[in-house]
Amino acid sequence: MKRLVILGGGESGVGTAILGKKEGFDVFVSDMGKIKTVYQEVLNQYGIAWEDQQHTEEKIVNATVVMKSPGIPDKVEIVKKLHSQGIPVISEIEFAAPYTKAVTIGITGSNGKTTTTMLTYHLLKSAGLQVGLAGNIGKSFAWQVAEAEHDFYVLELSSFQLDGIVKYKPHIAVLTNISPDHLDRYEYKYENYINSKFRITMNQTEQDFLIYDADDEASAEWLQHNKTNAQLIPFSISKTLEKGAYLNKNTMEVNINEEEFIMETEYIALEGKHNMKNAMAATSVAKLMQIRNATIRESLSNFQGVEHRLEKVLKIQNVQYINDSKATNVNATFFALDSMNATTVWIVGGVDKGNDYSELMPLVREKVKAIVCLGIDNTKIIEAFGNVVDLVIEVDNMYDAVNMSAHIAEKGEIVLLSPACASFDLFENYEDRGNQFKRAVKGL
C-alpha cells in the first residue's frame, strides 16, 4: 500500500489527507505545531492517523510520497532528510491535480493575485460555469477534488506551492507581476524567486496560455531569456498591444481569439492602476473561456473587491480609514500609496522580509505627512523615512496605532494601514491584523 505522509495539519494538509484516504493511500499527518481542534475532528472522523507538536522521524521517512504545506521551508531538518533519501516532497496542488478532470486556471504573482483570483472566479461563476475556488484561498483544492467535483478551478498559487510541483500545469496561467518578496526563502536571490514564479508555465504546451504583465520588468526579462511553450497573452496599461489587453485613453480593450471586448474604465468597480491590470488579467481569462461580453461587463461593474486590500473602513470626522493589511511587501504598498488622493498618515511595519524601501521614497515625499511604525523592530523604516516626513511614531499594538493616527490626521486626510511587511511579530496573520485595525477604527 502506498504511504502518503503530510507535513502540516492545516487546510491544505487535511484536504490532502482526505483525498489520499479516498484514493487508497495509507495516510499519516504530522504537524510541528498544534493542529486546530476543528481539523483534529475531521481527521478522526475519516480515521486518519495524525500527530502534532512533533515530527516522529520513523513514521515519516517510510513514505512513498510526502505532501508539504507551503509554509514549511525546505531547510527544515525533516525535509532535508526526505530529500537526501530521494522521497518526493510535493505540494497539495501537485498531489490533487491527477485526480480531477477539471480545467484549472492558475494565478500567481507578487501582488494582485488574490484580487485577480476572486475576480476571475466571479466572472466564471456569473457565466454559470461549475467552478471551484482554491489554492492559497478558500477551501483546500484536494478537499474539493475529494468531495465536491467541479468542471473548472481557479487556483491562487504562491511561489511556495509552485516550488512543490513536478507535472502540474494549468490550462491558463496568469502571472500578475513580480517584485521582491519572500527573499528570505530564496537565499536572498531575486532570480531564484523569479524562476519560482515562472514554474507555473514549465509544463504548459502549445494548447495552453500564459497571461502576463507586459509592463513588468522581471517578467519581460525572463521571457526574453527563457522559453515557454504556452501561447502568450500580454496586458499593459502603458502600451498599445495588437493581441491581449491594453488601455486606450479611458477604455480597456481586449483582443483575444479575434474578438474584441471594450469597456469604459469608469464602469469598472475596482479603482486604481493596479486594479486595472487585475481586471485585464481576469477579462483575458474570461475571453479565452469564451464568456459573453455582456456577462463580463456586468461582472466587472458589480465586483465587490477583496477584504484587507484597500478596503474603505469608515469615514470619521471627514478622515477616511483604509485597511490594506494584505500589503505584505513593498510593491503592494507602492500601489496603495500611489492610489491615495489626499494627505496620508501611514501605518507601516511588521516582519521585514528583506525589504528595500527606496522605491517608495517619491510617493512618501509627495503624500505622507506622518508614519506610525507598528512592529517589534522598526529600524529600517525609521532609517529610510526619518528625514523625509515630519513625524515618525513607534507603537506596539493596533489600538495605539489607530488612536495616534486619529490624533494626527486632519479633515480631508487619510489614515492608511499598508504594512509592507509580514504580520507574525504582533498578529496571527494579515487577516487578524486587518480585523484589529477595523475594530480599533470602529471604536474611535
Side-chain angles (χ1 to χ4, degrees):
M1 195 180 201
K2 291 185 295 185
R3 182 165 167 85
L4 166 67
V5 171
I6 291 157
L7 300 180
E11 179 70 23
S12 70
V14 174
T16 305
I18 291 167
L19 180 60
K21 176 96 178 173
K22 186 187 170 196
E23 296 297 339
F25 284 82
D26 167 28
V27 182
F28 178 63
V29 177
S30 174
D31 196 316
M32 226 18 203
K34 190 100 187 78
I35 296 179
K36 286 183 183 165
T37 317
V38 48
Y39 289 136
Q40 289 183 18
E41 286 167 3
V42 171
L43 292 169
N44 292 338
Q45 191 187 325
Y46 279 89
I48 293 165
W50 60 272
E51 64 174 4
D52 63 2
Q53 296 178 304
Q54 62 185 351
H55 285 321
T56 308
E57 196 176 296
E58 58 272 20
K59 291 184 178 174
I60 294 171
V61 295
N62 61 355
T64 319
V65 62
V66 173
M67 193 298 283
K68 171 175 81 69
S69 289
I72 303 171
D74 281 334
K75 55 177 185 269
V76 171
E77 275 315 309
I78 192 73
V79 179
K80 289 205 308 217
K81 187 122 203 172
L82 290 163
H83 283 311
S84 73
Q85 297 193 9
I87 297 164
V89 179
I90 60 173
S91 67
E92 174 203 3
I93 307 302
E94 178 69 23
F95 180 79
Y99 298 109
T100 174
K101 291 190 174 70
V103 171
T104 66
I105 293 122
I107 298 173
T108 194
S110 304
N111 296 302
K113 62 177 176 288
T114 303
T115 302
T116 303
T117 302
M118 298 289 284
L119 179 54
T120 303
Y121 174 70
H122 177 63
L123 282 162
L124 303 190
K125 206 164 168 57
S126 303
L129 298 178
Q130 178 56 35
V131 57
L133 174 71
N136 226 9
I137 190 173
K139 193 164 181 178
S140 145
F141 177 47
W143 204 325
Q144 291 186 54
V145 168
E147 290 189 344
E149 193 53 308
H150 298 288
D151 300 329
F152 302 93
Y153 286 97
V154 182
L155 303 178
E156 179 188 318
L157 301 173
S158 69
S159 54
F160 305 157
Q161 282 165 317
L162 293 168
D163 288 337
I165 66 169
V166 184
K167 293 181 177 159
Y168 168 72
K169 72 172 181 78
H171 173 49
I172 301 173
V174 178
L175 181 49
T176 56
N177 55 43
I178 305 179
S179 64
D181 195 1
H182 303 296
L183 296 189
D184 47 344
R185 283 275 289 259
Y186 293 98
E187 298 164 23
Y188 292 95
K189 290 188 182 135
Y190 189 23
E191 64 273 21
N192 293 1
Y193 174 65
I194 295 169
N195 289 334
S196 185
K197 286 291 186 198
F198 270 99
R199 288 175 69 84
I200 197 165
T201 188
M202 71 181 186
N203 298 314
Q204 286 189 301
T205 69
E206 293 81 3
Q207 275 80 56
D208 301 317
F209 300 92
L210 173 62
I211 296 167
Y212 72 99
D213 181 353
D215 305 330
D216 185 66
E217 268 174 54
S219 301
E221 191 165 312
W222 190 94
L223 286 165
Q224 232 174 340
H225 298 108
N226 300 272
K227 187 166 172 4
T228 169
N229 294 318
Q231 297 179 50
L232 294 175
I233 310 267
F235 59 86
S236 166
I237 60 169
S238 62
K239 37 189 173 272
T240 304
L241 302 171
E242 272 181 34
K243 181 185 183 182
Y246 64 96
L247 272 187
N248 181 1
K249 297 198 181 80
N250 296 324
T251 60
M252 173 172 88
E253 302 202 3
V254 186
N255 288 314
I256 291 174
N257 296 343
E258 292 171 15
E259 196 196 328
E260 198 172 38
F261 172 82
I262 297 176
M263 182 165 177
E264 281 78 29
T265 54
E266 65 180 296
Y267 299 118
I268 296 173
L270 290 170
E271 295 170 33
K273 287 182 205 155
H274 59 297
N275 274 325
M276 190 48 59
K277 292 189 170 200
N278 298 336
M280 286 175 172
T283 303
S284 299
V285 174
K287 289 307 296 172
L288 288 171
M289 308 279 290
Q290 292 168 333
I291 288 168
R292 289 171 52 238
N293 284 353
T295 306
I296 298 175
R297 212 167 265 122
E298 191 183 335
S299 300
L300 289 174
S301 64
N302 66 20
F303 180 64
Q304 289 298 309
V306 174
E307 197 182 7
H308 309 298
R309 166 60 82 222
L310 288 173
E311 177 190 4
K312 289 180 177 162
V313 182
L314 279 178
K315 209 175 228 187
I316 300 171
Q317 291 177 328
N318 211 12
V319 172
Q320 178 70 61
Y321 291 81
I322 297 176
N323 166 25
D324 195 42
S325 180
K326 204 169 186 314
T328 57
N329 59 39
V330 169
N331 191 252
T333 293
F334 179 92
F335 285 130
L337 287 170
D338 190 41
S339 62
M340 293 301 109
N341 53 10
T343 304
T344 301
V345 176
W346 174 32
I347 304 172
V348 56
V351 181
D352 186 297
K353 296 179 282 189
N355 285 351
D356 173 7
Y357 293 104
S358 58
E359 67 172 292
L360 300 177
M361 198 58 79
L363 289 169
V364 172
R365 277 185 209 281
E366 182 195 341
K367 301 185 178 196
V368 175
K369 77 166 190 181
I371 288 177
V372 177
C373 296
L374 178 64
I376 286 171
D377 180 10
N378 304 307
T379 323
K380 268 177 82 173
I381 296 166
I382 294 164
E383 279 172 4
F385 304 115
N387 301 328
V388 184
V389 299
D390 298 336
L391 186 60
V392 178
I393 297 169
E394 291 191 78
V395 296
D396 63 4
N397 64 76
M398 188 58 83
Y399 176 81
D400 288 348
V402 169
N403 278 288
M404 284 294 193
S405 302
H407 279 300
I408 301 162
E410 295 168 78
K411 279 187 175 148
E413 295 182 346
I414 295 167
V415 172
L416 169 70
L417 167 70
S418 189
C421 298
S423 54
F424 307 119
D425 55 349
L426 297 172
F427 307 96
E428 274 180 47
N429 47 36
Y430 77 79
E431 290 98 339
D432 174 38
R433 176 168 64 188
N435 289 331
Q436 286 198 34
F437 175 75
K438 292 197 277 189
R439 275 200 300 275
V441 169
K442 284 164 187 167
L444 283 172

